[in-house]
Amino acid sequence: MRDLTAPAKRGRDVLSLGDLGTAGLREVLTAAAARKRARGDRPRGAPDDDAPLRDHVLGMVFEKSSTRTRVSFDMAMRQLGGAALVLDAATTQLGRGESVADTARVLGRMVDMIMVRTDDHAKLETFARSAAVPVINGLTDLSHPCQIVADLMTLAEHGKALERMTLAWLGDGNNVLHSLLEAAGLLGFGVRVATPANRQPDPRYLALARAGGADVRLTLDPREAVEGVDAVFTDTWVSMGQVDDPSSRAAFEPYRVTSALMRLARPDALFLHCLPAHVGDEVAEDVFEGPQSVVFAEAENRLHAQKAILLWCAGNRLAADEPQAAAVP
Ligand code: CP
Ligand code: NVA
C-alpha cells in the first residue's frame, strides 16, 4: 500500500559511486582530505569546529558483520556534531520478517540518514525508494562505494595522480572491485584485473568503466596484471555470504599478492586491501606488513571519507576550515 502521507525525500542517496558522479566524487575526496587536515590531533570524539550535522542522527542497518564501516560511520557522525545508532537486523523486526519497505518508511521518519549493509543490492534500492531520507550503501553483494572513496583518498595522499594511474586487482571479482571499476569510469584511471576464469567481475561494471573512458583489461595471468602498475589491490577470496569451498580456494592460489608479484609493479607501487585480511591467503605476510602496504591508512581513511559522503548526502557545503583546499590530483 502506498503511504499517502509519505514526505518527499530530503537529501541524496549514495547507492553507488555513480550517484556522486565525477564532480561529486572529486568534491567528496577534496572535502575528506581537508577535514582530515583541519582536525589536527584533537581527540577523536571531539566535533569539527563547524559541526555541520549537529542534531542529526544516522541509523545504521547491518545484515552482515562489520568493524570498519560501523565504527567509521559512528565516529564520522560524532565528528560532524551528530550521532549514530546501530540496528543489527537480526534483533530488529526485519529479522522476523517485517518488510524492507516498511522498515525504511519507519526509519525515514525517525532518523535523518540511513546506512544499510545487506546481501541483496535490490534490498538497498527498496530501502532508498521507501525512506524519505538519504540512504547510503554500506556494502551489498554488488558494490562497496564508501570503501573506494577511502581507497582513492589513500592513493592521492600517497602521491598517486588519480586520473593517470593504473591499478591492478588480483583475486576475486567481487563487490569492492565493482566499485573500483565504477570509479575508473568516473575518473578515467586504468585497471588490470586478474581473477580465476569463473570469478571475473560482473560485465556491467566493466562496461560502465569502459563507457567512462577507462582502460580496463581482464586477464587470467596475475603477472601480466601487475606489470608496471601504480598499486595492487586484493580482497578476501571468500566474501561474506559465500560458501568457503576448498576446491575453489585452490583456483585462487596463483592470485595471492606476493613480493615476487609486487616486484613486477612500479618500485613505488602501493598495496591496498579493504580488510579484513586473511594473511597467507590473498596476500603474503611480507607484503601485508611491508613498506608498500598502506592498509591501515586506508582503514583510517574510511572515517574521513565517510564524513564527506554524509555531508554530500545531506546537501551540505562539504569542507570545514579549509573550504577551498587543493583539489585531489
Ligand atoms: N572494509 C570494510 O568494509 O570493513 P568492515 O567489514 O569491517 O566494515
Ligand atoms: N568482499 C568483502 C568485503 C568486506 C569488506 C565481502 O563482501 O565480504
Side-chain angles (χ1 to χ4, degrees):
M1 187 177 64
R2 204 155 66 86
D3 181 358
L4 296 174
T5 61
K9 166 95 70 179
R10 279 185 296 115
R12 305 180 275 198
D13 300 325
V14 174
L15 307 190
S16 71
L17 290 175
D19 290 332
L20 291 174
T22 301
L25 178 56
R26 292 176 132 275
E27 195 185 343
V28 160
L29 288 167
T30 302
R35 280 193 178 273
K36 181 176 180 181
R37 270 197 302 275
R39 279 190 71 77
D41 61 357
R42 73 181 66 187
R44 307 261 160 77
D48 291 356
D49 288 338
D50 57 346
L53 293 187
R54 189 182 298 107
D55 303 331
H56 287 63
V57 174
L58 172 75
M60 298 193 276
V61 179
F62 284 100
E63 290 198 301
K64 289 178 169 180
S65 305
S66 171
T67 299
R68 281 143 288 269
T69 303
R70 176 175 172 163
V71 175
S72 61
F73 268 112
D74 190 324
M75 294 306 293
M77 284 304 291
R78 292 180 203 217
Q79 293 187 5
L80 294 171
L85 56 88
V86 172
L87 294 151
D88 175 8
T91 58
T92 66
Q93 298 291 8
L94 254 184
R96 294 184 59 252
E98 184 168 15
S99 74
V100 169
D102 287 0
T103 305
R105 289 195 288 185
V106 171
L107 291 183
R109 285 163 174 265
M110 292 193 194
V111 299
D112 299 289
M113 307 174 87
I114 301 169
M115 186 236 74
V116 179
R117 169 168 284 199
T118 186
D119 44 8
D120 184 358
H121 195 82
K123 281 196 214 169
L124 174 76
E125 291 173 339
T126 302
F127 231 105
R129 269 197 309 278
S130 311
V133 296
V135 172
I136 301 173
N137 179 353
L139 179 144
T140 68
D141 53 2
L142 216 50
S143 60
H144 196 5
C146 297
Q147 179 67 51
I148 295 303
V149 176
D151 294 0
L152 295 172
M153 181 181 175
T154 308
L155 289 163
E157 260 180 359
H158 287 80
K160 304 300 176 196
L162 299 189
E163 280 82 2
R164 295 189 294 283
M165 64 187 180
T166 302
L167 309 178
W169 176 279
L170 302 190
D172 189 26
N174 65 13
N175 44 7
V176 179
L177 172 59
H178 290 162
S179 290
L180 186 65
L181 289 168
E182 204 168 358
L186 294 174
L187 298 181
F189 56 82
V191 188
R192 310 277 178 265
V193 178
T195 67
N198 63 347
R199 294 302 310 167
Q200 288 183 334
D202 184 326
R204 289 175 296 175
Y205 287 91
L206 297 171
L208 208 54
R210 288 175 178 144
D215 176 8
V216 177
R217 301 185 198 168
L218 281 186
T219 174
L220 300 179
D221 180 357
R223 294 170 62 86
E224 186 188 331
V226 299
E227 187 77 49
V229 296
D230 297 290
V232 178
F233 282 62
T234 192
D235 186 12
T236 179
W237 291 340
V238 187
S239 282
M240 288 182 277
Q242 293 178 339
V243 179
D244 188 356
D245 167 11
S247 62
S248 63
R249 190 167 277 273
F252 281 121
E253 289 284 329
Y255 302 93
R256 175 177 303 119
V257 181
T258 59
S259 49
L261 282 172
M262 287 301 291
R263 275 195 292 277
L264 299 176
R266 285 174 53 100
D268 61 355
L270 301 172
F271 171 73
L272 287 92
H273 190 311
C274 63
L275 306 180
H278 305 79
V279 176
D281 283 349
E282 71 268 11
V283 56
E285 186 172 10
D286 58 344
V287 174
F288 187 80
E289 300 291 350
Q292 290 168 285
S293 174
V294 291
V295 298
F296 293 105
E298 184 185 357
E300 180 193 330
N301 281 338
R302 292 295 306 278
L303 163 60
H304 306 294
Q306 241 64 292
K307 291 166 71 179
I309 293 167
L310 286 160
L311 288 174
W312 188 89
C313 289
N316 284 49
R317 187 173 68 83
L318 298 193
D321 299 333
E322 302 177 72
Q324 298 306 322
V328 171

